[in-house]
Amino acid sequence: IKTLEMPSCLFGNFKSRMKRSIKKLEISFLNKSNRVSQLADMSVVSFVKIIAAVHKSYKLFKYKKNTLLSNRMPNYSVKMGFGLHVGWAIEGAIGSDFKIDASYLSPNVNMASRLEAATRQFGVSLLISDKLYDILTAKTAEYMRQIDCVVVKGSASPVKLYTCDLDLSDMKIEKPRK
């Protein structure tokens, strides 16, 4: 019986091509996971920008300085809270022939809603779940501070809550546009 031997130069070439293919797959995987982290970062940055825009809005500043409003509601100011979580959801159209609204159903949507509601209890503008925190880039995660670890209603496992401390006191009110 004669065994068939492959020339080593063919096998070596195959081996190097496989190594290159595996390396490309690893890089592709890293790029995709990096893209997910970048999207997570962009979601946090977007809400920080919204909070800053509300704080420096000239129109909202005018309402705060309105004497009629301040007499009825002393120390009035606009406060907004945002809850950020990551996960799957099902989108559906709800409505009639005249008006259609989108609805999102999932335990993840409920979690984001509960986080948003909890911003009042913790006195912060932004609450981020540990699931979202875990996929942030290290650079963005540096700006987050863990506030608490809670068991949210409807969930069996505890959730770590994070926030981004923002010092808005030095932020100037934008000038009115003409």
Side-chain angles (χ1 to χ4, degrees):
I1 299 174
K2 190 173 183 182
T3 58
L4 183 63
E5 290 184 24
M6 298 280 278
S8 61
C9 62
L10 287 177
F11 185 70
N13 191 15
F14 174 75
K15 226 167 135 177
S16 66
R17 281 186 306 185
M18 281 303 289
K19 280 184 181 178
R20 280 195 305 269
S21 295
I22 290 170
K23 193 161 214 72
K24 282 181 183 176
L25 283 173
E26 286 173 350
I27 290 170
S28 172
F29 176 76
L30 287 173
N31 285 343
K32 283 182 184 171
S33 83
N34 192 23
R35 279 187 239 143
V36 169
S37 293
Q38 288 172 345
L39 284 172
D41 287 0
M42 286 191 288
S43 68
V44 172
V45 168
S46 296
F47 283 97
V48 168
K49 284 183 173 184
I50 291 168
I51 294 165
V54 166
H55 184 76
K56 67 181 187 176
S57 168
Y58 179 73
K59 286 183 180 180
L60 292 176
F61 178 74
K62 275 180 43 178
Y63 279 109
K64 187 175 183 176
K65 296 300 176 190
N66 183 306
T67 53
L68 294 173
L69 187 61
S70 61
N71 288 341
R72 290 187 78 175
M73 294 183 283
N75 299 322
Y76 169 79
S77 68
V78 174
K79 294 178 186 138
M80 297 177 79
F82 301 98
L84 299 179
H85 185 65
V86 64
W88 63 271
I90 297 171
E91 179 186 23
I94 296 176
S96 67
D97 292 338
F98 302 105
K99 183 179 181 205
I100 297 176
D101 286 327
S103 179
Y104 301 91
L105 304 171
S106 122
N108 300 307
V109 173
N110 293 343
M111 176 64 79
S113 177
R114 292 184 193 285
L115 291 175
E116 181 270 324
T119 58
R120 291 173 204 77
Q121 293 168 320
F122 288 102
V124 296
S125 298
L126 183 65
L127 273 180
I128 299 166
S129 70
D130 54 359
K131 270 184 135 182
L132 182 63
Y133 176 84
D134 290 343
I135 60 173
L136 292 173
T137 62
K139 181 101 171 136
T140 303
E142 286 176 18
Y143 294 99
M144 301 299 140
R145 174 177 61 92
Q146 184 178 345
I147 294 181
D148 205 349
C149 186
V150 297
V151 177
V152 180
K153 183 179 175 186
S155 174
S157 57
V159 177
K160 292 179 185 173
L161 303 179
Y162 295 86
T163 191
C164 182
D165 293 319
L166 304 171
D167 183 13
L168 302 173
S169 60
D170 293 339
M171 191 169 281
K172 304 267 189 279
I173 303 299
E174 64 186 14
K175 294 183 180 178
R177 296 181 187 155
K178 294 181 182 183

